[in-house]
Amino acid sequence: EAGVAQSPRYKIIEKRQSVAFWCNPISGHATLYWYQQILGQGPKLLIQFQNNGVVDDSQLPKDRFSAERLKGVDSTLKIQPAKLEDSAVYLCASSSYGLAGAGKAWNTQYFGPGTRLTVL
Amino acid sequence: AQKVTQAQTEISVVEKEDVTLDCVYETRDTTYYLFWYKQPPSGELVFLIRRNSFDEQNEISGRYSWNFQKSTSSFNFTITASQVVDSAVYFCALSEAHPGRRALTFGSGTRLQVQP
């Protein structure tokens, strides 16, 4: 079974530029998460989707960050304009919650390889 | 609000030593889930274990074991006979049952270095 896919793996931009990250979750996983991991810290949630609806975006800086999951499968996270403090690894995760027959592992989140963003 | 504390920032051991990584959590919910993830130098978070709040049975998987104690709100992780490949950052995480709080709250991580 293929894991969570993310692209690009690395991105370097200048401040005030825009950037977009893409995530394709594990096939059939209804719930998708975006986390931000700043160097030396644990990941922090930015946004949670179930199918194509937003469950929690309370920690998403909405003045510059946006995310969508239009068809309930893959997702895009965008930053516009980027700031120096946005330098971090952006991690996408998915879980089978919301999927019929998910069983005991329904809320185990599986992570992609991440996108390392450097803002200069 | 939920919180996870990993007080050990970095631990260094010599190969074949046993090592325990500590995790203390806070939550107001009676139903919650605890996780451990490994983050090797490659950066990807690898799922190790999931434990729900109603199951205090300790678990062993090969050289890994986990001790869940509800009375002290702790979920500690022990690696027996450590190996160089165990070198990584280990994260403890918590999620709750409420639909709006299922996202993971992570601790700050413990960096484990296993020297040959």
Side-chain angles (χ1 to χ4, degrees):
Chain A
E1 179 182 78
V4 177
Q6 289 188 248
S7 67
R9 292 295 312 277
Y10 304 92
K11 191 74 177 177
I12 300 174
I13 61 173
E14 307 226 334
K15 60 183 179 184
R16 291 188 289 272
Q17 286 187 324
S18 63
V19 64
F21 313 127
W22 174 82
C23 171
N24 192 35
I26 291 172
S27 178
H29 277 194
T31 305
L32 184 148
Y33 307 81
W34 283 101
Y35 290 85
Q36 180 193 57
Q37 185 178 20
I38 293 172
L39 187 64
Q41 299 181 17
K44 288 184 170 56
L45 178 74
L46 290 174
I47 189 167
Q48 175 187 345
F49 291 96
Q50 184 172 330
N51 297 309
N52 60 351
V54 175
V55 174
D56 182 2
D57 64 356
S58 58
Q59 299 178 72
L60 187 74
K62 297 182 188 64
D63 58 334
R64 297 183 301 105
F65 286 65
S66 64
E68 59 183 15
R69 193 185 185 200
L70 292 175
K71 297 181 180 178
V73 181
D74 57 351
S75 175
T76 302
L77 176 70
K78 296 180 182 176
I79 309 175
Q80 182 179 10
K83 292 185 175 181
L84 295 177
E85 58 261 36
D86 298 332
S87 293
V89 175
Y90 291 84
L91 295 162
C92 180
S94 69
S95 70
S96 56
Y97 175 71
L99 180 68
K104 286 180 63 175
W106 62 268
N107 69 338
T108 296
Q109 294 180 33
Y110 297 93
F111 285 80
T115 297
R116 184 177 297 276
L117 173 67
T118 302
V119 182
L120 303 175
Chain B
Q2 45 189 320
K3 184 179 177 182
V4 176
T5 302
Q6 295 180 256
Q8 305 150 307
T9 305
E10 187 162 344
I11 300 175
S12 183
V13 298
V14 177
E15 213 170 13
K16 298 184 184 176
E17 282 186 28
D18 299 347
V19 59
T20 295
L21 310 182
D22 297 334
C23 173
V24 174
Y25 62 90
E26 295 175 29
T27 176
R28 291 174 298 185
D29 277 15
T30 55
T31 302
Y32 52 89
Y33 304 87
L34 295 163
F35 301 81
W36 277 94
Y37 284 86
K38 175 182 180 180
Q39 190 171 46
S42 60
E44 188 161 347
L45 277 164
V46 178
F47 165 72
L48 296 178
I49 190 171
R50 167 188 179 274
R51 170 69 74 228
N52 74 51
S53 53
F54 297 114
D55 182 3
E56 288 195 69
Q57 198 170 19
N58 290 330
E59 182 158 339
I60 297 174
S61 176
R63 296 184 297 106
Y64 294 171
S65 62
W66 290 270
N67 184 336
F68 175 31
Q69 292 199 333
K70 222 168 170 179
S71 60
T72 57
S73 299
S74 64
F75 186 42
N76 296 337
F77 173 29
T78 297
I79 302 174
T80 303
S82 59
Q83 299 176 1
V84 173
V85 293
D86 296 327
S87 296
V89 180
Y90 291 85
F91 290 97
C92 181
L94 166 74
S95 78
E96 295 175 349
H98 186 281
R101 293 195 296 273
R102 291 202 175 104
L104 294 167
T105 296
F106 285 86
S108 54
T110 297
R111 180 177 299 278
L112 174 64
Q113 292 194 336
V114 182
Q115 309 288 348

